[in-house]
Amino acid sequence: MPVENESHVRRWGRLFATVAVLRSLADPGEPLPGADAFTGKFVPVQRIDDLKSNPYDALLRARKRGDAHWKAAAAVFRTLPDLLERGPLPPTGTLGDDRRPDFIAGYEAQLAALKKDHPDLLP
């Protein structure tokens, strides 16, 4: 769950983590990226697009994997509105060395929360 005073860059990190977890629950061969995957300059929206994971399609694929994956994916999907509760995420432009740590902090915080909720399904 996003913290009230989080920057929009950190919220982008949380959104990336949520979409990555949905993809991982739906597709067994898709590992979750580590923080070391965020090197160089990048645009958060492009990184999310690169996951090629439509949340609706991910839910359908997770349902086919069985009850545990379906329930976890549905719970993760329900966290998406919380990420947008404070309004739409404004574009961030390219993230470099100055803002990348904030994105990674959001990613790791969201990933930790989701792993805590679903320890048997998320490594």
Side-chain angles (χ1 to χ4, degrees):
M1 173 104 111
V3 178
E4 186 62 33
N5 60 354
E6 281 186 323
S7 73
H8 68 279
V9 172
R10 191 170 294 216
R11 288 173 54 220
W12 273 111
R14 285 184 179 276
L15 181 61
F16 181 89
T18 302
V19 174
V21 165
L22 272 173
R23 182 192 67 169
S24 178
L25 289 168
D27 301 318
E30 296 291 344
L32 293 168
D36 58 340
F38 308 111
T39 58
K41 293 183 178 183
F42 66 91
V43 177
V45 174
Q46 289 174 335
R47 283 293 174 104
I48 290 171
D49 288 345
D50 289 346
L51 289 174
K52 298 192 184 329
S53 182
N54 175 309
Y56 173 75
D57 291 337
L59 282 173
L60 293 178
R61 289 190 314 276
R63 186 167 184 106
K64 291 178 184 177
R65 291 192 64 200
D67 199 45
H69 284 86
W70 160 245
K71 287 180 179 178
V76 170
F77 180 82
R78 288 184 191 106
T79 67
L80 287 170
D82 291 341
L83 297 170
L84 301 173
E85 188 173 52
R86 290 180 27 212
L89 286 165
T92 62
T94 302
L95 299 185
D97 291 339
D98 56 337
R99 297 188 304 159
R100 185 178 332 122
D102 205 25
F103 178 90
I104 292 170
Y107 173 75
E108 289 178 334
Q110 188 73 4
L111 196 56
L114 295 172
K115 284 181 176 185
K116 181 180 173 191
D117 290 344
H118 310 286
D120 296 337
L121 300 175
L122 300 171

